[in-house]
Amino acid sequence: MADYQGVDFYQFSRNFSDEERGVRDTVRQFVDRSFMPLVREHFKAGIFPTELIPELGSLGLLGSSIKGPGCPGLNGTIYGIICEELERGDSGLRSFASVQGSLVMWPIANFGTEEQKDRWLPELAAGRKVGCFGLTEANHGSDPGGMETRAVKDGDDWILNGSKMWITNANLADVAVVWARTDKGVAGFLVERGTEGFSTNPIHGKYSLRASDTGELVFDDVRIADSNRLPDAIGLKAPLNCLNQARYGIAWGAVGAAADCYDTALRYAGEREQFGKPIASFQLVQQKLVHMLTEITKAQGLSLQMGRLKDDGINPVPIVSLAKRNNVAMALDCARTARDILGAAGITDEFSPGRHMANLESVITYEGTHDIHTLIVGAEITGIPAFR
Ligand code: TGC
Ligand code: FAD
């Protein structure tokens, strides 16, 4: 099959700068040449292709919009474009970049000391070190404010006890950004692999995001120096602020998964014959393809406008929530429709829509479920929070 040419019916990319177009092409090539040949086997085996981490780093795809030592410092729209192109390959690939950039590098860059920035940001940007972000617990997902993981001051150190569940990159990470309750509210800590009492466990049996690492973080009387606390991360709003960055990238990324599903279904419908004609010639199949293209195009408009607002310094929580909510649900719908157009062939791993469909079942849950984003936007427009 010819290389992917993109889905851009309304020519949104005419609004891209030369730099934005250049990054899009570079990531697209990386996905086609380096990632696509690996994804099927890695999804089957249930492992992230760690061999690609240095290339992700050398291409500037890790923390692309972070400003700090060794970081690319590109605009927010470029970060979005990167997420869209990576997730065209697989949500697990975009997840890796989201966590490393938005959930590990971003809090270090925004809440960390100069020493923490100098030590971690260049290594994380280059992909020489990997990070993870521990907010969710087994009993506290949508409501992280109920977290039980606790850090207690002991002289100049902290003693950390508790656990975090469903953590992307848990088993690959050299450093975990961990959120814990203290006497003075929620605080963030950098916990390094190898610290006594800190362990990670893989989560097995996933049918979704199989080409991504997911695990548990366990803290059993872990002693952490105060120099490993993020001093400017004060209260629950600190981790929630990190989520805004990642949710922004997910809203863009989901469009990539949808575009791959549409592209795959369109090509298949042109080649597959039934009743003596390509199935693309049937009105019902055309209706499905047009519906997918319409929804993808609307989602691209949301993403691009959100990106331009972000680059103008406007990044309110409900705007990001509306886009994450819409675009992920849209992508899941496209994946199911594409699977349908592929008929029986759509249930095998020879084609991507079934894999995207399974992945997007995680994406619609993580970083705030579809329902939580409904309630965030609902609270914004009515002025009445309905979370509890
Ligand atoms: P609430 O009282 O509303 O807020 C507490 C304080 O935080 C502020 N705030 C935010 N600040 C920045 N960004 C946001 N998104 C914020 N949301 C709230 C808020 O203004 C308040 O500030 P202040 O100054 O008054 O103290 O908190 P709540 O406990 O009622 O919860 C609200 C709720 C439900 C919206 C929030 O907890 C939430 O977003 N829940 C969803 C949890 C979630 O998204 N978890 C994601 C975990 S990480 C993950 O999934 C990574 S997947 C990565 C991958 O593989 O790609
Ligand atoms: P719950 O909160 O138990 O929700 C269950 C259901 O109840 C959902 O339908 C939800 O919408 C609904 N619900 C909950 N509260 C309300 C309400 N107030 N009103 C209406 N409906 C409600 N977390 C991290 O910290 N770091 C990570 O790196 C990370 N990676 C992840 C990777 C994967 C593959 C997955 C699946 C999850 C990951 N998560 C991570 C966790 C993720 O953020 C949580 O799963 C998510 O926030 C939802 O929490 P929960 O699974 O406990 O569901």
Side-chain angles (χ1 to χ4, degrees), residues 111-326:
F111 303 135
T113 61
E114 292 310 313
E115 291 71 27
Q116 290 167 346
K117 292 178 203 177
D118 288 341
R119 167 146 188 230
W120 290 109
L121 292 180
E123 296 294 297
L124 292 161
R128 287 188 292 270
K129 298 280 185 202
V130 172
C132 69
F133 176 90
L135 178 63
T136 304
E137 300 181 356
N139 295 327
H140 306 280
S142 296
D143 181 18
M147 72 176 69
E148 293 164 53
T149 297
R150 196 167 176 85
V152 176
K153 197 86 201 280
D154 184 44
D156 286 341
D157 298 336
W158 295 84
I159 307 295
L160 187 61
N161 277 291
S163 62
K164 298 287 173 180
M165 192 62 177
W166 302 113
I167 306 306
T168 301
N169 296 347
N171 306 288
L172 308 177
D174 300 287
V175 62
V177 173
V178 178
W179 302 95
R181 185 178 298 290
T182 73
D183 284 350
K184 296 194 175 68
V186 171
F189 299 90
L190 300 176
V191 183
E192 292 177 50
R193 184 170 295 282
T195 310
E196 203 180 331
F198 171 42
S199 56
T200 60
N201 301 309
I203 292 174
H204 296 293
K206 291 184 299 173
Y207 68 76
S208 173
L209 279 182
R210 289 190 54 74
S212 170
D213 177 72
T214 316
E216 181 190 23
L217 311 177
V218 180
F219 312 100
D220 183 9
D221 280 335
V222 180
R223 181 171 288 278
I224 301 167
D226 192 53
S227 58
N228 276 353
R229 182 175 58 86
L230 297 169
D232 294 335
I234 298 164
L236 183 61
K237 69 180 165 203
L240 294 180
N241 229 322
C242 305
L243 301 183
N244 290 340
Q245 318 308 316
R247 291 167 176 174
Y248 166 88
I250 292 170
W252 277 87
V255 179
D260 187 51
C261 291
Y262 167 78
D263 184 65
T264 304
L266 179 63
R267 290 170 194 240
Y268 185 86
E271 289 165 9
R272 171 74 176 169
E273 293 197 357
Q274 288 295 290
F275 300 95
K277 293 180 188 168
I279 60 170
S281 66
F282 301 128
Q283 291 179 352
L284 289 176
V285 173
Q286 289 190 6
Q287 188 274 336
K288 288 170 191 170
L289 292 167
V290 170
H291 176 70
M292 291 166 80
L293 180 61
T294 306
E295 295 305 315
I296 289 167
T297 303
K298 284 151 67 178
Q300 285 172 328
L302 277 184
S303 301
L304 185 57
Q305 175 64 4
M306 183 176 62
R308 295 303 185 215
L309 286 175
K310 187 173 168 66
D311 288 331
D312 282 347
I314 304 166
N315 192 30
V317 172
I319 283 196
V320 175
S321 282
L322 190 148
K324 194 272 184 184
R325 178 182 182 279
N326 179 78

Side-chain angles (χ1 to χ4, degrees), residues 313-345:
I314 304 166
N315 192 30
V317 172
I319 283 196
V320 175
S321 282
L322 190 148
K324 194 272 184 184
R325 178 182 182 279
N326 179 78
N327 292 8
V328 177
M330 177 283 297
L332 193 47
D333 182 49
C334 281
R336 290 171 179 154
T337 306
R339 207 293 308 148
D340 167 54
I341 291 173
L342 269 66

Side-chain angles (χ1 to χ4, degrees), residues 24-160:
R24 178 201 61 191
D25 294 345
T26 301
V27 187
R28 195 169 284 179
Q29 267 179 18
F30 162 75
V31 168
D32 278 333
R33 307 272 148 78
S34 300
F35 182 74
M36 287 311 201
L38 301 180
V39 62
R40 210 167 148 191
E41 288 314 312
H42 282 71
F43 192 86
K44 207 179 284 179
I47 47 175
F48 180 77
T50 49
E51 59 272 42
L52 297 184
I53 298 173
E55 198 177 350
L56 283 164
S58 65
L59 290 174
L61 308 184
L62 302 175
S64 63
S65 61
I66 306 292
K67 293 184 175 57
C71 298
L74 304 173
N75 73 21
T77 301
I78 292 183
Y79 174 51
I81 291 168
I82 289 171
C83 288
E84 181 172 338
E85 293 299 327
L86 292 178
E87 196 149 357
R88 198 256 307 177
D90 192 85
S91 301
L93 182 60
R94 196 269 309 136
S95 267
F96 181 88
S98 287
V99 170
Q100 182 92 342
S102 291
L103 297 180
V104 178
M105 294 170 68
W106 194 88
I108 293 173
N110 286 277
F111 303 135
T113 61
E114 292 310 313
E115 291 71 27
Q116 290 167 346
K117 292 178 203 177
D118 288 341
R119 167 146 188 230
W120 290 109
L121 292 180
E123 296 294 297
L124 292 161
R128 287 188 292 270
K129 298 280 185 202
V130 172
C132 69
F133 176 90
L135 178 63
T136 304
E137 300 181 356
N139 295 327
H140 306 280
S142 296
D143 181 18
M147 72 176 69
E148 293 164 53
T149 297
R150 196 167 176 85
V152 176
K153 197 86 201 280
D154 184 44
D156 286 341
D157 298 336
W158 295 84
I159 307 295
L160 187 61

